[in-house]
Amino acid sequence: MPSINEDVSIGNLGSLQTLPDSFTWKLTAADSILPPSSAAVKESIPVIDLSDPDVTNLLGNACKTWGAFQIANHGVSQSLLDDVESLSKTFFDMPSERKLEAASSNKGVSGYGEPRISLFFEKKMWSEGLTIADGSYRNQFLTIWPRDYTKYCGIIEEYKGEMEKLASRLLSCILGSLGVTVDDIEWAKKTEKSESKMGQSVIRLNHYPVCPEPERAMGLAAHTDSCLLTILHQSNMGGLQVFKEESGWVTVEPIPGVLVVNIGDLFHILSNGKFPSVVHRARVNRTKSRISIAYLWGGPAGEVEISPISKIVGPVGPCLYRPVTWSEYLRIKFEVFDKALDAIRVVNATN
């Protein structure tokens, strides 16, 4: 995404009639391990009813096979999903100058701007976003919506609460499919009662404007999430794709009221690689814009050491990943991006 000083304004992509060269993607070394978008196939990730008596096994199989799944009967009201989508649309419909008033700082996470993974790619991504990471968003909301500040803060707080409850429920079930519980995670046992056992969470509001040449643009480049898991609500316009080794790129079409869940790097490590973090990306559309709301959940304090759960590894192993502090892992990912898990993998795990 362009910086504030570039000719192409960060908030006006949808008004462009031609695709700028800086947004024109070609297959490069950065994505050579993945096939081009034409490899997308008519297949989809599982849809799992959380009221199903066999939900634990269904979730475990989906995590092992795909690293992603969709969930129905999840307990989050449609009205809340509509409210947070409406909030997002209200923000992204604002003039570029207004949105830039909420721009994220160089050091901060919260705020408006380009995808954080942009620095790993030569070409720019056809999207804009608003990250809500901590209480500082309240000041931004007061600037953006002085009249509706209380209303929109209330929506975000309710959404965060519902997402955390849902994420905790999913975590318990997924761990159950491996025969372990949250209390088997060493750093979760040491967390103060006043804090969330799984640590931090971030909400990212994403907007993918209409694009004059969607076949040559990328809304969000291929990546994995660093966190435990991500819960995604997407509007009625498709664009999300997940990568499966045997199938290539698989499009996840929106289903009303159904949420998408992606396994992240932290869960990949905890499960000793049994549940892989899913590579995913977002494509764009010529005639319809798309909004998605991502809830990225789970990331302990920086000094906390993470490693595969000992009960999953067993007494004789092998343990595939060396212990690493959370801050060290994030630093490694910042340096080598998609090679971060390889960087902490034990070379000769049997020893």
Side-chain angles (χ1 to χ4, degrees):
M1 189 63 58
S3 66
I4 295 172
N5 297 321
E6 286 186 74
D7 293 334
V8 180
S9 172
I10 191 172
N12 290 332
L13 291 179
S15 64
L16 299 182
Q17 301 302 307
T18 58
L19 187 68
D21 180 68
S22 57
F23 289 85
T24 302
W25 283 64
K26 297 177 182 177
L27 196 63
T28 65
D31 46 21
S32 61
I33 60 168
L34 304 175
S37 58
S38 60
V41 294
K42 291 295 181 182
E43 189 180 4
S44 192
I45 61 176
V47 180
I48 298 173
D49 186 334
L50 292 190
S51 65
D52 192 304
D54 197 33
V55 66
T56 296
N57 288 328
L58 292 172
L59 290 173
N61 289 335
C63 291
K64 183 178 180 180
T65 307
W66 286 88
F69 51 89
Q70 299 175 86
I71 50 173
N73 287 322
H74 42 66
V76 181
S77 70
Q78 186 61 50
S79 61
L80 180 57
L81 296 176
D82 291 342
D83 284 346
V84 75
E85 185 176 329
S86 176
L87 178 156
S88 305
K89 188 175 187 303
T90 300
F91 175 75
F92 292 121
D93 281 348
M94 287 181 174
S96 178
E97 296 74 18
R98 286 285 307 280
K99 289 182 282 191
L100 287 171
E101 292 177 9
S104 53
S105 66
N106 291 334
K107 296 182 179 179
V109 175
S110 291
Y112 173 70
E114 62 188 359
R116 289 177 64 82
I117 64 171
S118 296
L119 58 93
F120 297 103
F121 297 90
E122 178 186 351
K123 295 295 185 176
K124 299 180 184 298
M125 300 175 204
W126 199 265
S127 61
E128 56 182 338
L130 180 68
T131 301
I132 300 166
D134 49 43
S136 65
Y137 81 88
R138 292 179 171 274
N139 294 330
Q140 293 168 338
F141 277 26
L142 189 57
T143 301
I144 302 166
W145 293 295
R147 293 183 180 179
D148 295 315
Y149 162 79
T150 302
K151 170 187 172 183
Y152 288 133
C153 284
I155 291 172
I156 291 298
E157 288 303 314
E158 184 180 359
Y159 194 76
K160 283 173 63 178
E162 289 298 307
M163 286 293 115
E164 181 163 4
K165 285 193 295 184
L166 176 57
S168 298
R169 179 182 172 191
L170 289 170
L171 178 66
S172 294
C173 287
I174 297 171
L175 288 175
S177 72
L178 292 169
V180 296
T181 69
V182 173
D183 288 334
D184 291 313
I185 302 173
E186 287 298 321
W187 51 267
K189 290 190 292 187
K190 300 173 184 176
T191 305
E192 296 291 334
K193 288 185 178 181
S194 59
E195 302 174 358
S196 168
K197 276 184 175 292
M198 292 300 110
Q200 307 151 353
S201 65
V202 171
I203 295 174
R204 173 79 176 179
L205 314 180
N206 301 297
H207 177 226
Y208 304 91
V210 292
C211 180
E213 297 182 69
E215 66 280 356
R216 298 205 298 156
M218 185 66 68
L220 188 63
H223 68 287
T224 60
D225 297 331
S226 301
C227 57
L228 268 173
L229 54 84
T230 298
I231 303 175
L232 184 81
H233 166 64
Q234 51 181 344
S235 62
N236 61 4
M237 184 65 229
L240 173 66
Q241 293 182 331
V242 301
F243 185 76
K244 189 181 182 187
E245 205 65 50
E246 303 84 7
S247 309
W249 287 107
V250 177
T251 299
V252 183
E253 296 292 350
I255 302 173
V258 169
L259 298 170
V260 180
V261 181
N262 292 335
I263 296 299
D265 293 351
L266 181 51
F267 216 132
H268 184 121
I269 296 167
L270 292 179
S271 70
N272 202 35
K274 292 181 184 295
F275 294 163
S277 53
V278 63
V279 178
H280 56 286
R281 68 182 184 185
R283 302 306 307 269
V284 290
N285 188 275
R286 190 184 302 273
T287 58
K288 292 188 68 175
S289 63
R290 174 175 177 261
I291 283 176
S292 69
I293 298 93
Y295 177 79
L296 298 100
W297 185 67
E303 70 279 3
V304 170
E305 191 173 78
I306 59 172
S307 61
I309 297 172
S310 57
K311 283 189 178 180
I312 294 176
V313 176
V316 295
C319 186
L320 300 183
Y321 300 96
R322 68 174 176 85
V324 59
T325 64
W326 184 233
S327 60
E328 183 186 358
Y329 181 73
L330 295 179
R331 177 182 58 76
I332 292 170
K333 189 157 188 179
F334 181 79
E335 293 174 352
V336 300
F337 190 46
D338 57 341
K339 304 295 190 297
L341 288 170
D342 290 340
I344 66 166
R345 189 178 175 93
V346 179
V347 176
N348 190 348
T350 56
N351 294 325

